[in-house]
């Protein structure tokens, strides 16, 4: 089973608004795909559907060979989600937050796993401080630990750089790079061309609820990619007519 993600004719509507318009998408196991797109392109809607947080209007989705309609609970055990929303409890400490999530997953050797992850994200010295005392960058680092706590095979990243200063964004980029392995599949959606282009094995552009462009990163000239991106964005309305 080579495909970690298989999407066929995915559609999502909110009343009269079509957020996704027949998306077809496949991603092999162990690959990192970056999807670029402007605000309103449907990127977050796509991530929310793939991570079982939102039901599609139509289409077929398989994650790790499992049909999203029939195996939602099992899929949730195999995926991790990181976004600009940390999903952390501000009045709890890092230890308490991760223990809560680890208990939900029924993890064995939870204390050892938490200690390892806090060390990896550089928060072992703040393990017992309330999250409300953390900077935005520190909270996002802890959110990475939460995302990886159950060692997911597929990770979805939804605009993870939002609200971070340059130092925090660079640190986050390094941590995201550590996520990469030959076994873990990663899908990042962002409008940050500079950072996103350096992360993926493959790159796609989503505009108006459609994937308009996809290419292997090694075949892309970074100097001309920005022009291609804006061309897709400007041509997007023609696809919607």
């Amino acid at each position: 089973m080579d495909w970690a993600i298989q999407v066929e004719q995915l559609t999502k509507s909110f009343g009269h608004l079509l957020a996704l318009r027949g998306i077809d998408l496949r991603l092999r196991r162990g690959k990192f795909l970056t999807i670029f797109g402007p605000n309103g392109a449907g990127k977050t809607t796509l991530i929310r559907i793939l991570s079982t947080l939102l039901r599609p209007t139509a289409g077929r989705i398989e994650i790790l060979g499992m049909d999203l309609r029939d195996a939602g609970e099992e899929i949730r055990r195999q995926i991790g989600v990181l976004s600009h929303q940390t999903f952390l409890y501000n009045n709890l400490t890092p230890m308490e937050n991760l223990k809560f999530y680890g208990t939900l997953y029924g993890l064995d050797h939870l204390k050892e796993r938490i200690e390892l992850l806090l060390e990896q994200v550089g928060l072992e010295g703040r393990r017992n401080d309330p999250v409300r005392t953390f900077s935005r960058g520190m909270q996002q680092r802890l959110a990475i630990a939460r995302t990886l706590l159950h060692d997911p095979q597929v990770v979805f990243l939804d605009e993870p750089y939002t609200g971070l200063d340059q130092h925090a964004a660079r640190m986050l980029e390094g941590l995201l790079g550590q996520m990469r392995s030959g076994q873990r599949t990663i899908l990042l959606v962002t409008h940050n061309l500079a950072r996103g282009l350096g992360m993926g094995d493959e790159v796609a552009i989503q505009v108006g609820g459609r994937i308009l462009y996809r290419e292997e990163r090694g075949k892309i000239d970074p100097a001309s990619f920005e022009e291609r991106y804006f061309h897709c964005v400007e041509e997007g309305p023609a696809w919607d007519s």
Side-chain angles (χ1 to χ4, degrees):
M1 185 174 57
D2 292 335
W3 301 109
I5 300 171
Q6 297 187 79
V7 177
E8 297 178 1
Q9 289 298 295
L10 176 60
T11 300
K12 179 61 181 179
S13 62
F14 298 95
H16 297 295
L17 173 65
L18 265 177
L20 299 179
R21 301 166 181 257
I23 284 184
D24 293 316
L25 179 69
R26 283 186 171 185
L27 185 59
R28 292 188 182 277
R29 287 176 178 265
K31 294 297 184 180
F32 190 131
L33 172 65
T34 299
I35 300 180
F36 294 108
N39 292 336
K43 305 186 305 298
T44 292
T45 299
L46 175 62
I47 288 288
R48 286 177 60 82
I49 290 175
L50 295 180
S51 57
T52 78
L53 297 175
L54 189 65
R55 297 177 68 88
T57 301
R60 180 174 174 271
I61 303 168
E62 285 190 3
I63 306 292
L64 301 171
M66 296 177 285
D67 193 307
L68 193 71
R69 296 169 297 184
D70 305 322
E73 183 175 349
E74 179 57 30
I75 288 173
R76 282 189 287 274
R77 292 183 174 275
Q78 303 296 330
I79 65 175
V81 183
L82 176 68
S83 71
H84 55 282
Q85 295 178 319
T86 63
F87 300 108
L88 299 171
Y89 294 94
N90 286 331
N91 290 328
L92 300 183
T93 68
M95 290 291 294
E96 291 168 338
N97 267 284
L98 296 181
K99 183 177 180 181
F100 170 76
Y101 281 105
T103 301
L104 291 180
Y105 284 109
L107 300 181
D108 296 325
H109 310 293
L110 181 56
K111 186 176 185 300
E112 292 84 354
R113 178 68 176 161
I114 291 174
E115 293 286 358
L116 174 63
L117 284 167
L118 288 179
E119 182 178 353
Q120 288 179 345
V121 300
L123 292 175
E124 67 273 22
R126 301 291 302 272
R127 60 169 60 85
N128 295 316
D129 295 337
V131 170
R132 66 174 181 273
T133 66
F134 286 12
S135 68
R136 172 78 176 102
M138 292 170 64
Q139 290 185 21
Q140 196 68 327
R141 283 151 57 192
L142 181 57
I144 290 179
R146 173 195 56 74
T147 300
L148 299 180
L149 185 62
H150 56 298
D151 195 23
Q153 295 187 50
V154 179
V155 174
F156 297 111
L157 308 172
D158 180 14
E159 300 286 4
Y161 295 103
T162 300
L164 299 183
D165 60 29
Q166 289 298 316
H167 175 72
R170 177 175 293 183
M171 181 173 290
L172 174 61
E173 191 170 61
L175 291 170
L176 295 182
Q178 294 176 26
M179 283 189 185
R180 303 184 67 169
S181 69
Q183 302 300 317
R184 182 174 288 134
T185 306
I186 302 177
L187 176 59
L188 165 68
V189 300
T190 183
H191 59 263
N192 189 318
L193 299 184
R195 295 196 180 278
L197 195 59
M199 298 291 290
D201 301 309
E202 300 177 55
V203 168
I205 299 174
Q206 180 174 329
V207 180
R210 295 187 176 99
I211 301 293
L212 303 188
Y213 170 89
R214 183 169 176 179
E215 186 56 274
E216 294 178 11
R217 172 62 181 84
K219 297 180 180 179
I220 295 174
D221 175 17
S224 62
F225 180 75
E226 182 174 339
E227 181 179 350
R228 178 178 290 275
Y229 171 77
F230 285 112
H231 175 74
C232 285
V233 172
E234 291 167 1
E235 291 296 314
W239 288 70
D240 297 337
S241 60

